[in-house]
Amino acid sequence: MPEEQRTFIAVKPDGVKRGLVGEIIKRFENKGFKLIGLKMLHVTQEMAERHYGEHEGKPFYPRLLRYIQSGPIVAMVWKGYNVIDGARHMMGKTNPMEAEVGTIRADYALLMEYNVVHGSDSPESAEREIGIYFKPEELCDEYVNMAESVIEDLG
Ligand code: UDP
Ligand code: MG
């Protein structure tokens, strides 16, 4: 039985500016993942450093911090079976030119620096990243269980 998980997904500033929020949400909804948290916000320097701390010291780090603060992001929490790897599979590789056709980054991005979407890479980073952007009471996962109980009721 696959594991039910939560993950943090963000439409990055380039994705928001290009009007890709609805397209990205639609892909995850169509797949069957459940949206349980959603907000638009400006990432602060402190949030950017917490989010991307693992990359501190790498050549692209200063540009990455500027990029993630270059406009609002749409921050989301998604729930579902194997949603962490499942969402990253749908996003495609970090470099859009290496991402498989049909993935979000392959279909909507050209450059590694502007790859339109973020997704957590492990259960630990998912919980850490969710905690940067959301308070527990901002997440609405009770309706997901309700939907599942409806399906069970129908047999
Ligand atoms: N990034 C970059 N240049 C690189 C590697 C990464 O600009 O050589 C940026 C890119 O926006 C990427 C983010 O830093 O999405 C985080 O990098 P990571 O390796 O964690 O990739 P991801 O998990 O986003 O696929
Ligand atoms: Mg990463």
Short mmCIF file of all heavy atoms in Angstrom, two decimals, residues 54-55 88 121, ligand 2:
data_model
loop_
_atom_site.label_atom_id
_atom_site.label_comp_id
_atom_site.label_asym_id
_atom_site.label_seq_id
_atom_site.Cartn_x
_atom_site.Cartn_y
_atom_site.Cartn_z
N GLU A 54 20.26 24.54 2.64
CA GLU A 54 21.11 23.42 2.20
C GLU A 54 22.04 23.84 1.06
O GLU A 54 23.05 23.18 0.80
CB GLU A 54 20.26 22.22 1.76
CG GLU A 54 19.43 22.52 0.53
CD GLU A 54 18.62 21.33 0.00
OE1 GLU A 54 19.22 20.31 -0.32
OE2 GLU A 54 17.39 21.47 -0.10
N HIS A 55 21.69 24.90 0.34
CA HIS A 55 22.49 25.32 -0.81
C HIS A 55 23.47 26.46 -0.48
O HIS A 55 24.16 26.96 -1.38
CB HIS A 55 21.59 25.75 -1.96
CG HIS A 55 20.74 24.63 -2.49
ND1 HIS A 55 21.28 23.47 -2.98
CD2 HIS A 55 19.39 24.49 -2.61
CE1 HIS A 55 20.30 22.66 -3.38
NE2 HIS A 55 19.15 23.25 -3.16
N ARG A 88 7.32 15.58 -7.64
CA ARG A 88 8.62 15.88 -8.28
C ARG A 88 8.72 15.22 -9.65
O ARG A 88 9.31 15.78 -10.58
CB ARG A 88 9.78 15.46 -7.36
CG ARG A 88 10.00 16.49 -6.25
CD ARG A 88 11.16 16.12 -5.35
NE ARG A 88 12.47 16.18 -5.97
CZ ARG A 88 13.25 17.26 -5.99
NH1 ARG A 88 12.85 18.39 -5.44
NH2 ARG A 88 14.45 17.20 -6.54
N ASP A 121 11.81 17.44 -1.41
CA ASP A 121 12.44 16.22 -1.94
C ASP A 121 12.43 15.04 -0.98
O ASP A 121 12.94 13.97 -1.31
CB ASP A 121 13.87 16.53 -2.41
CG ASP A 121 14.78 16.98 -1.28
OD1 ASP A 121 14.37 16.93 -0.10
OD2 ASP A 121 15.92 17.39 -1.58
MG MG B 2 15.65 20.87 -3.86
#
